[in-house]
Amino acid sequence: MTLHSALAATEFIDHHSPEVRDFVRDALPASATTPTERAVALYYAVRDGIHYEVYGADLSREGLRASHVVRTGSGMCLHKSVLYTAGLRSLGIPARLVLTDVRNHLASERLKRLLGGDVFHQHGLTSVRLEDRWVKATPVFNKTLCRLYRMAPLDFDGSADSLHHPFDLKGRRQMEFLRVHGEFDDLPYEWLIADLRAAHPGLFQDGQDGSRDRLARGSLVGEAV
């Protein structure tokens, strides 16, 4: 992997698309002039401007493209990390996708039953190159959802890793990283989907056309109240 490959437009990180470019333009205040300031502003635009939802998530090739995430305004960790990576690259900031397995991923009791436990495979985040070093950022769980699940929102200042919520607001352990699969210049789609289907078969829902690209219907917000 090179810095050049961490800036390239790809199938999923389609930062050349008008949707991504418009999203980035609207996300950046005039005061954000340095790469770090722009990366931080974009982080919050993705974290709070794109609704986090596992239920009904579109895991088709089209559904996981950054441009499609902008159009729908919703997605799970993979969608939001793909969009953040694309937005960074559109600004000339090198970025890669990071894929991990975690325990205690933000989940309702019903979602845990569908997952088959409290381990979530293929949790996505982003590695970004700022001031000659790589830092990790997770613009995933928006403020509203964090409040409903009694978690502090995960912040990012561009200088330190922003990886996970180690404890909730009551001091209980919230998330634990179990495995880091690696960093990727583009989404390794076939392998990722195969792993998700093997690890969480109950999470997938058959479509009317026989496809299994969407996750089960529901609402994390509804299950939190």
Side-chain angles (χ1 to χ4, degrees):
M1 293 186 291
T2 65
L3 288 183
H4 176 74
S5 64
L7 287 167
T10 68
E11 177 183 0
F12 297 97
I13 305 169
D14 56 346
H15 64 71
H16 56 288
S17 66
E19 293 91 343
V20 172
R21 292 193 176 277
D22 288 348
F23 180 85
V24 172
R25 180 200 63 212
D26 294 341
L28 298 185
S31 59
T33 58
T34 69
T36 296
E37 289 170 342
R38 291 181 172 188
V40 169
L42 185 61
Y43 173 91
Y44 288 104
V46 174
R47 191 194 75 176
D48 297 322
I50 302 296
H51 177 63
Y52 177 82
E53 183 61 87
V54 174
Y55 289 123
D58 184 352
L59 296 184
S60 67
R61 301 191 82 99
E62 173 65 21
L64 280 164
R65 291 191 180 107
S67 56
H68 190 269
V69 179
V70 175
R71 289 196 296 272
T72 60
S74 178
M76 54 188 281
C77 56
L78 295 170
H79 301 79
K80 297 184 74 168
S81 296
V82 164
L83 175 56
Y84 186 49
T85 301
L88 290 166
R89 290 186 185 182
S90 78
L91 295 170
I93 301 172
R96 298 177 181 133
L97 294 169
V98 182
L99 297 175
T100 69
D101 296 344
V102 296
R103 187 184 305 279
N104 289 338
H105 190 277
L106 185 151
S108 65
E109 290 305 315
R110 176 181 178 242
L111 184 54
K112 289 178 183 178
R113 290 195 298 272
L114 292 174
L115 289 171
D118 61 358
V119 173
F120 189 95
H121 281 227
Q122 304 299 341
H123 173 60
L125 52 137
T126 300
S127 182
V128 50
R129 181 84 172 179
L130 294 169
E131 299 182 8
D132 297 322
R133 56 188 293 267
W134 290 95
V135 291
K136 294 181 175 60
T138 314
V140 174
F141 306 129
N142 51 283
K143 287 189 297 185
T144 299
L145 206 60
C146 286
R147 183 177 69 252
L148 290 172
Y149 280 84
R150 297 173 178 83
M151 295 169 59
L154 188 57
D155 293 324
F156 179 57
D157 65 5
S159 64
D161 288 340
S162 172
L163 284 170
H164 55 76
H165 306 255
F167 300 97
D168 67 11
L169 293 177
K170 293 185 178 180
R172 297 172 298 190
R173 181 170 293 280
Q174 188 66 34
M175 186 182 290
E176 175 188 0
F177 277 64
L178 302 177
R179 182 182 300 108
V180 177
H181 295 292
E183 298 190 10
F184 303 86
D185 289 329
D186 197 13
L187 202 67
Y189 182 79
E190 299 293 345
W191 165 75
L192 180 149
I193 295 300
D195 183 62
L196 278 174
R197 284 177 171 160
H200 310 300
L203 192 57
F204 285 81
Q205 177 176 289
D206 291 333
Q208 293 181 347
D209 60 356
S211 65
R212 299 195 69 211
D213 293 330
R214 281 194 179 272
L215 301 186
R217 299 291 180 179
S219 168
L220 280 173
V221 170
E223 291 175 5
V225 296

